[in-house]
Amino acid sequence: MSLPIVTRCWFGGTLLTTCAANFNMFSVYKIIWSFESIKDNFEIWRVLTPFMYAGPFSINSLFLMYMVYQFSKQYESGGPYNTGAGGGTADYVFMMMLGILLLLVSFVLLGGMVPLPPIFTQNLVFYVLYIWSKRNPTNAANIWGFQMKAYQLPFAYLAINVLMGNPYWGLIHGMA
């Protein structure tokens, strides 16, 4: 079975952007969110590229890439829901545009109060996961073989990140 179109584009873009930045084809500072660079230098790619960089090569970036693939595919190809955008892929595109807009606006509003990096891939993944878990609360889900209901999944990932000492503000930013 092939991947749905939005999942294919997001996963492919994330894979290409992450590899290109890690192989020094361009600097990571050229793809992070910077409203000043967009406004003053017309660097419009900065609107999308912060949502397509998984970070430096590590086990965390591999897990994030897997989560982009898995949760995006589940949402886009899932259920008969129609929230006004036509269902399926159209609904997913609308939800992603709304999520990107909300993440960018809340990043600006939070300013220096919360230590958030200007890279939003993890935030958007957890936004998709949170919305999917609310749409499918009784679905079975698991983390490393531990069974749970889908509505518990985002909070289980948050707890694992806190227990492992990883940054957790991006997860909260995506879920809030």
Side-chain angles (χ1 to χ4, degrees):
M1 183 175 116
S2 69
L3 284 174
I5 185 72
V6 178
T7 301
R8 192 176 331 139
C9 291
W10 187 24
F11 180 72
T14 302
L15 183 66
L16 288 174
T17 304
T18 302
C19 288
N22 281 299
F23 290 132
N24 293 323
M25 296 175 113
F26 51 78
S27 171
V28 175
Y29 296 107
K30 286 292 198 184
I31 60 172
I32 63 173
W33 172 252
S34 171
F35 182 71
E36 292 78 22
S37 295
I38 295 169
K39 183 180 62 143
D40 297 339
N41 301 332
F42 200 62
E43 296 177 359
I44 57 173
W45 63 85
R46 289 182 186 256
V47 173
L48 290 180
T49 54
F51 299 96
M52 291 191 234
Y53 177 65
F57 287 135
S58 68
I59 192 73
N60 290 338
S61 58
L62 286 177
F63 280 138
L64 185 59
M65 295 286 288
Y66 173 74
M67 291 168 75
V68 166
Y69 167 82
Q70 189 64 31
F71 298 140
S72 181
K73 181 179 77 168
Q74 284 179 349
Y75 187 101
E76 188 174 3
S77 60
Y81 293 99
N82 182 355
T83 58
T89 299
D91 181 53
Y92 188 57
V93 168
F94 178 78
M95 189 269 308
M96 291 284 281
M97 289 188 321
L98 181 65
I100 288 170
L101 179 68
L102 291 173
L103 287 170
L104 292 176
V105 168
S106 61
F107 178 77
V108 171
L109 293 176
L110 290 173
M113 295 186 297
V114 176
L116 287 171
I119 301 288
F120 306 118
T121 307
Q122 184 180 35
N123 309 36
L124 190 60
V125 167
F126 277 86
Y127 170 77
V128 171
L129 171 62
Y130 186 76
I131 299 296
W132 174 82
S133 72
K134 291 300 176 186
R135 287 176 61 171
N136 305 290
T138 58
N139 280 15
N142 70 58
I143 299 178
W144 300 328
F146 294 105
Q147 291 290 325
M148 64 188 70
K149 297 288 185 190
Y151 74 89
Q152 298 167 326
L153 193 60
F155 303 104
Y157 274 114
L158 179 62
I160 288 171
N161 268 292
V162 169
L163 292 173
M164 292 176 69
N166 292 332
Y168 54 87
W169 283 110
L171 279 66
I172 294 172
H173 185 223
M175 292 186 330

